[in-house]
Amino acid sequence: MKERQVFINGRFVPEHEAKVSIYDSALMFGDMVFEMTRSFNKEQFKLQDHLERLYASIKYVHIPIDMSMKEMEEHIYETIDKNDPLFKKDDEHRVMINVSRGLLSLYQDVVGVEKGPNLIIADFPLRWTVASMGPLYNSGINAVIPSQRAIPASLLEPKVKNRSRMHYLMANIEVSNYAGENNWALLLDPDGFIAEGTGDNFFMVKDGKIITPEPRNILRGVSRKYVIEELAPQLGLPCIEKNIEIYDVVTADEAFFTGTPFCILPVTSINNMQIGSGKMGPVTKKLLDTWGQNVGVDIITQIKKFGLSKKPGAMNAASPYSFKQKK
């Protein structure tokens, strides 16, 4: 096998042949839910939590998928096993699970495409996602508040992990034009409280307490849950969910983002106003070190090493954080 294989509706196809119809509801409406996982030492991390959230999303949006969670898990591991021979020894598996509604009735029996929901399981090296993030553990992120607000649950349920993410994109486009480097969007909810990043959750530390936004208007991240329910208790650190204002962040001792691919990244300023010492804080470092000890991986070293294998030169395409056309 010379090419990664993708699981689609019960069969494996070469990655370049993995397709959905132009009439799929995912393309028509962004009508797709998904999860993305990662491994440590090629062992999947919190896969059950990801699957539980995926099936909650499937239920909420009424996609009639005929597959149990256990069967889904088996197909994920089948996909990983099939692709692992093509991975480098130090690679980690980044699994992407997409579930769409498929063709709407208007297009069935017209275009000759298989009916029913589409389940797609892809597996690619984690280094693709994190290769450029190594320097952020030293510099930290400048969180920028864009004009784009988080969409509240009263309008579109953010706890459903879905592909209808234009508001995230618009926030990133705005922030990409902000002066300086390492700028990541941090959205406010309609009431002006800190909500979330565009694919990551936010935490701050004040007087030894870890504080994170209330979960009503955010995607409740798997990494967020791990920090709140496991890491913080393991270290004897109180963790509080509450409304956070920009003022609170500016006057915090430290701050960080959590996300599946990078685990934890320090946030060292907000709108270019320094947070704490302007470097990764001791609580953030302790959480990250303990996470690494728990999974048997030096997380910072691994991600920085992935950065060394990054191909030189800039690609002529947008990234999640840059939208300027490159020549």
Side-chain angles (χ1 to χ4, degrees), residues 12-226:
F12 284 97
V13 301
E15 194 173 64
H16 80 279
E17 295 180 10
K19 303 177 179 70
V20 296
S21 168
I22 62 170
Y23 298 106
D24 193 275
S25 189
L27 193 59
M28 292 292 189
F29 295 100
D31 182 15
M32 176 180 277
V33 296
F34 75 105
E35 285 291 327
M36 297 187 73
T37 75
R38 69 155 290 171
S39 66
F40 292 99
N41 290 319
K42 296 195 175 180
E43 295 292 328
Q44 284 292 293
F45 181 72
K46 298 295 178 183
L47 179 58
Q48 191 64 32
D49 285 355
H50 282 284
L51 288 176
E52 287 174 0
R53 186 172 64 178
L54 177 65
Y55 271 78
S57 297
I58 289 170
K59 178 180 181 180
Y60 195 87
V61 301
H62 298 273
I63 295 178
I65 186 169
D66 186 21
M67 179 181 291
S68 69
M69 195 181 301
K70 179 63 176 176
E71 290 171 323
M72 176 83 76
E73 182 180 12
E74 290 171 354
H75 289 311
I76 289 169
Y77 282 117
E78 185 182 6
T79 304
I80 291 171
D81 290 343
K82 188 172 284 290
N83 287 303
D84 190 60
L86 296 178
F87 279 56
K88 295 179 181 179
K89 186 177 180 181
D90 67 339
D91 272 336
E92 299 287 4
H93 289 271
R94 182 93 161 115
V95 177
M96 178 171 62
I97 311 143
N98 287 301
V99 182
S100 83
R101 198 176 309 277
L103 297 183
L104 299 179
S105 60
L106 174 65
Y107 304 106
Q108 288 184 7
D109 301 321
V110 176
V111 294
V113 178
E114 184 178 352
K115 300 176 183 178
N118 288 305
L119 165 63
I120 306 166
I121 304 173
D123 176 29
F124 58 88
L126 174 72
R127 70 177 72 226
W128 290 9
T129 307
V130 299
S132 63
M133 295 183 180
L136 295 175
Y137 289 101
N138 299 113
S139 66
I141 291 164
N142 177 45
V144 177
I145 306 296
S147 59
Q148 174 67 55
R149 291 295 187 256
I151 299 178
S154 59
L155 298 179
L156 180 66
E157 181 54 78
K159 293 177 278 295
V160 172
K161 187 160 185 172
N162 65 83
R163 290 295 190 188
S164 302
R165 297 187 142 200
M166 185 59 75
H167 69 297
Y168 280 0
L169 189 66
M170 295 309 299
N172 286 343
I173 290 173
E174 180 180 339
V175 170
S176 73
N177 292 313
Y178 199 82
E181 298 180 342
N182 306 328
N183 301 316
W184 286 27
L186 178 59
L187 304 183
L188 302 181
D189 69 17
D191 297 318
F193 297 115
I194 301 293
E196 61 182 353
T198 55
D200 30 71
N201 289 121
F202 180 78
F203 289 79
M204 55 172 270
V205 180
K206 183 70 173 179
D207 298 330
K209 297 177 182 177
I210 302 170
I211 305 169
T212 195
E214 291 186 356
R216 67 190 185 284
N217 287 327
I218 64 172
L219 178 66
R220 297 171 181 175
V222 171
S223 298
R224 176 185 183 274
K225 178 182 178 183
Y226 182 59

Side-chain angles (χ1 to χ4, degrees), residues 138-141 253-254 266-269 274-281:
N138 299 113
S139 66
I141 291 164
D253 299 322
E254 50 190 289
V267 176
T268 52
S269 59
Q274 182 174 302
I275 299 171
S277 68
K279 299 178 181 179
M280 182 187 295

